């Protein structure tokens, strides 16, 4: 047992260990208005939690339809990134560390692919990393103590403009310098539309269905919390377990549906893995577009307000208060759920045909042009 007092989860214990303090009984969610006001006046976004979005029947049906259409592609991409992780590491002594919570289901899928197809046992932990606050060093200390010589592989779901990749690189450099941790910042993701990761399944901006939901596709675990009222100096970052959503939980259904597709694509994955480069150069192409959009849409540019990519745009609509959504086409199936959420929340949508991403969410700041 690596720690006590950890947040509960609906995932099987062999799939993942969340190194997050359980604050389920102490922490109360803020309304969207309270949270937005706090962030705009200087509070950090991780000090408060948004209310969990309860999807409509229509939206839930669209989610199920999307999983059905994309599960084979997702199984293929999981296999490809898993083999690239192994080839890049040069060892089978790998410990997966997913970045909670978007990385958590992807880390589980990678762990399962390694076990079921490649016959390798890769332990899997999930830890908190926060923009402007860094990674949970206590959690990394615990993992390194339990696995002193293993190759630690960080995992996330997708990239936007690269803020988390930059935060990870900064944390890895600091921990290596101060504690000789022997960590690498080569974060692995399923989709890297921002071109800021070196290990990925694809750089196409497409919908990973787990972006469509919150806790009910993430083991019923909340976003991570870093608030001094609840998190002491010696604690892991925190999270809540939403046991009241158990009847609505799709976390394991999502994992199981994609896992069932592993074998049918394994030969194609093998061929692709050996015929294409294992890693790719970071070009930060996504950030270049974000900078251009920021200058067009805001009188004073704060790039944190611009959330590029299908996954990030979805999260903005679920958790924040966007004033506009940009899409490059209304007809692409990958944005249908975004259009549905935008209509539900009365957020205007603008079509920008030459948009690099398929969708971009713009958060309200009071400085919109």
């Amino acid at each position: 047992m690596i720690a006590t007092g950890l947040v509960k989860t609906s995932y099987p214990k062999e799939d993942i260990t969340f190194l997050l303090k359980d604050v389920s009984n102490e922490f109360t969610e803020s309304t969207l208005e309270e949270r937005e006001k706090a962030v705009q006046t200087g509070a950090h976004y991780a000090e408060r939690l948004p209310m969990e979005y309860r999807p409509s029947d229509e939206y839930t049906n669209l989610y199920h339809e999307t999983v059905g259409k994309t599960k084979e592609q997702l199984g293929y991409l999981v296999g490809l990134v898993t083999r690239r992780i192994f080839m890049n590491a040069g060892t089978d002594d790998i410990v997966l560390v997913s970045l909670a919570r978007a990385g958590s289901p992807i880390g589980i899928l990678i762990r399962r692919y390694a076990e079921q197809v490649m016959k390798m046992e890769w332990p899997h932990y999930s830890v908190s990393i926060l923009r402007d606050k860094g990674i949970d060093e206590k959690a990394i200390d615990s993992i390194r103590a339990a696995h002193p010589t293993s190759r630690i592989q960080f995992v996330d779901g997708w990239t936007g403009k690269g803020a988390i990749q930059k935060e990870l690189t900064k944390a890895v450099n600091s921990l290596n310098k101060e504690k000789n941790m022997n960590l690498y910042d080569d974060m692995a993701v399923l989709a890297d539309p921002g071109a800021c990761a070196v290990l990925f399944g694809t750089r196409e901006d497409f919908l990973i269905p787990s972006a469509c939901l919150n806790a009910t596709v993430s083991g019923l675990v909340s976003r991570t919390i870093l608030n001094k009222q609840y998190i002491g100096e010696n604690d892991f970052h925190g999270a809540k377990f939403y046991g009241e959503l158990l009847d609505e939980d799709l976390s394991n259904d999502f994992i199981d549906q994609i896992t069932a597709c592993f074998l049918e694509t394994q030969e194609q994955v093998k061929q692709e893995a050996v015929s294409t480069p294992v890693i790719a150069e970071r070009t930060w192409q996504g950030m270049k577009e974000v900078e251009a959009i920021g200058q067009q849409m805001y009188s004073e540019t704060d790039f944190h307000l611009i959330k590029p990519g299908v996954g990030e745009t979805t999260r903005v609509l679920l958790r924040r208060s966007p004033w506009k959504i940009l899409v490059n086409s209304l007809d692409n199936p990958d944005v249908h759920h975004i259009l549905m959420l935008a209509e539900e929340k009365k957020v205007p949508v603008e079509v920008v045909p030459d948009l690099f991403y398929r969708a971009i969410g713009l958060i309200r700041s009071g400085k919109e042009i």
Side-chain angles (χ1 to χ4, degrees), residues 125-195:
Y125 302 92
S126 200
V127 307
S128 171
I129 188 168
L130 300 167
R131 193 189 70 233
D132 301 328
K133 296 290 184 180
I135 203 162
D136 185 345
E137 293 191 11
K138 299 282 188 305
I140 301 301
D141 287 343
S142 295
I143 294 169
R144 185 45 95 200
H147 307 277
T149 61
S150 299
R151 173 62 148 84
I152 291 176
Q153 177 64 58
F154 294 102
V155 173
D156 207 354
W158 57 84
T159 64
K161 56 183 175 287
I164 293 301
Q165 176 62 71
K166 288 178 180 177
E167 204 67 64
L168 179 63
T169 298
K170 182 180 174 183
V172 162
N173 290 341
S174 174
L175 288 167
N176 285 345
K177 182 178 179 181
E178 295 173 12
K179 300 183 180 182
N180 196 26
M181 282 264 190
N182 194 28
L183 301 173
Y184 297 82
D185 75 339
D186 50 3
M187 182 175 73
V189 295
L190 271 199
D192 178 37

Side-chain angles (χ1 to χ4, degrees), residues 24-259:
S24 302
N25 296 326
E26 297 87 27
F27 202 91
T28 304
E29 291 78 6
S30 302
T31 65
L32 181 60
E33 292 74 18
E34 289 170 343
R35 192 163 180 262
E36 287 296 329
K37 184 177 180 180
V39 170
Q40 289 174 17
T41 54
H44 192 271
Y45 67 90
E47 293 176 5
R48 289 169 173 78
L49 280 179
M51 307 293 289
E52 279 288 309
Y53 170 72
R54 297 261 184 167
S56 64
D57 289 343
E58 184 183 13
Y59 185 80
T60 301
N61 290 338
L62 181 60
Y63 163 80
H64 285 297
E65 182 183 319
T66 302
V67 173
K69 288 179 179 177
T70 62
K71 61 186 179 182
E72 186 172 324
Q73 179 192 14
L74 289 164
Y76 168 79
L77 294 176
V78 168
L80 186 56
V81 76
T82 304
R83 289 198 174 273
R84 284 175 172 169
I85 287 170
F86 171 63
M87 294 164 72
N88 182 57
T91 177
D92 62 358
D93 183 15
I94 292 171
V95 173
L96 300 172
V97 178
S98 61
L99 304 177
R101 73 184 162 175
S104 306
I106 307 307
I108 290 175
L109 288 167
I110 290 171
R111 190 206 73 81
R112 286 200 181 182
Y113 195 95
E115 178 187 52
Q116 296 183 15
V117 180
M118 300 165 63
K119 309 307 177 187
M120 298 177 185
E121 294 286 341
W122 294 354
H124 175 213
Y125 302 92
S126 200
V127 307
S128 171
I129 188 168
L130 300 167
R131 193 189 70 233
D132 301 328
K133 296 290 184 180
I135 203 162
D136 185 345
E137 293 191 11
K138 299 282 188 305
I140 301 301
D141 287 343
S142 295
I143 294 169
R144 185 45 95 200
H147 307 277
T149 61
S150 299
R151 173 62 148 84
I152 291 176
Q153 177 64 58
F154 294 102
V155 173
D156 207 354
W158 57 84
T159 64
K161 56 183 175 287
I164 293 301
Q165 176 62 71
K166 288 178 180 177
E167 204 67 64
L168 179 63
T169 298
K170 182 180 174 183
V172 162
N173 290 341
S174 174
L175 288 167
N176 285 345
K177 182 178 179 181
E178 295 173 12
K179 300 183 180 182
N180 196 26
M181 282 264 190
N182 194 28
L183 301 173
Y184 297 82
D185 75 339
D186 50 3
M187 182 175 73
V189 295
L190 271 199
D192 178 37
C196 52
V198 298
L199 286 166
F200 51 82
T202 180
R203 277 188 165 162
E204 181 183 355
D205 184 18
F206 83 107
L207 174 61
I208 299 173
S210 56
C212 289
L213 302 173
N214 284 332
T216 52
V217 79
S218 305
L220 298 183
V221 175
S222 73
R223 284 206 66 164
T224 60
I225 298 161
L226 187 57
N227 185 315
K228 290 181 179 179
Q229 283 184 262
Y230 309 93
I231 309 299
E233 285 188 13
N234 296 315
D235 291 333
F236 296 144
H237 294 186
K240 291 187 69 167
F241 174 68
Y242 291 112
E244 66 273 19
L245 298 179
L246 200 57
D247 289 343
E248 303 168 45
D249 188 24
L250 297 168
S251 305
N252 290 298
D253 175 72
F254 173 70
I255 297 294
D256 291 342
Q257 287 205 58
I258 297 168
T259 301

